[in-house]
Amino acid sequence: MLAWKAWGQPDPASDDTPLRPPRVEDYLARFDLTDKSGKVVSVDAGSGQLLVRVFKTAADPFVGRLTYLRVLSGTLKSQGGTFNATKGEDERIGQLLYLHGKEQEPAAELRAGEIGAVAKLGVTETGDTLSSREAGLRLSEIEFPEPT
């Protein structure tokens, strides 16, 4: 931080620069979050309640169907289970992966703010929300633009 001030530049980690990556709370604020009853709720990223957004599904020649996800709140553990709030079904989570370009590194868990992938999910598709069965949190659908 001192080097930035010495050069007369703003600190890149401060809130008033375009170099600061978006916080998870900023991301959550852009979506309607509902519970099982359909009531709009808010969740703090550090609350510990599991909330995961599935944003891409791809076919991998070695692993098969690979699902990309971002953990918005809580911790998603490898070799565990979760609840697909969009489909209303339980989902078994296999080995979680960190992605580094074409390389895949096994991960024991993904915490809030992290992006990772998991192979061979049964019912989960792009746009789904993973949560705990008790909370049943669900994000609004991803809106895709009309093709031209």
Side-chain angles (χ1 to χ4, degrees):
M1 187 160 92
L2 294 175
W4 291 97
K5 291 188 185 243
W7 292 344
Q9 300 291 324
D11 179 11
S14 68
D15 285 344
D16 56 350
T17 67
L19 300 176
R20 181 187 61 83
R23 298 176 304 165
V24 175
E25 290 86 359
D26 297 339
Y27 182 82
L28 283 174
R30 296 189 336 216
F31 296 98
D32 290 332
L33 181 63
T34 58
D35 62 6
K36 287 189 265 187
S37 65
K39 184 176 123 184
V40 176
V41 296
S42 64
V43 172
D44 180 26
S47 70
Q49 282 187 327
L50 181 63
L51 183 63
V52 179
R53 164 70 89 184
V54 175
F55 64 88
K56 181 178 179 180
T57 305
D60 185 273
F62 300 106
V63 183
R65 197 166 115 183
L66 194 62
T67 303
Y68 295 76
L69 43 88
R70 181 174 185 183
V71 179
L72 301 174
S73 174
T75 302
L76 183 64
K77 299 200 181 283
S78 189
Q79 306 300 334
T82 187
F83 179 69
N84 184 327
T86 307
K87 302 280 192 295
E89 297 184 34
D90 288 321
E91 185 73 79
R92 185 185 174 284
I93 302 293
Q95 179 64 55
L96 293 172
L97 304 166
Y98 287 121
L99 302 172
H100 305 285
K102 292 184 178 181
E103 301 293 317
Q104 299 171 356
E105 176 187 340
E109 63 184 20
L110 295 175
R111 296 186 183 131
E114 293 184 324
I115 294 175
V118 63
K120 302 177 184 173
L121 291 181
V123 297
T124 302
E125 298 175 344
T126 302
D128 286 356
T129 302
L130 303 178
S131 177
S132 65
R133 180 176 282 281
E134 298 80 36
L137 298 173
R138 183 175 173 197
L139 291 164
S140 61
E141 299 292 321
I142 298 175
E143 294 182 23
F144 295 101
E146 288 292 322
T148 57

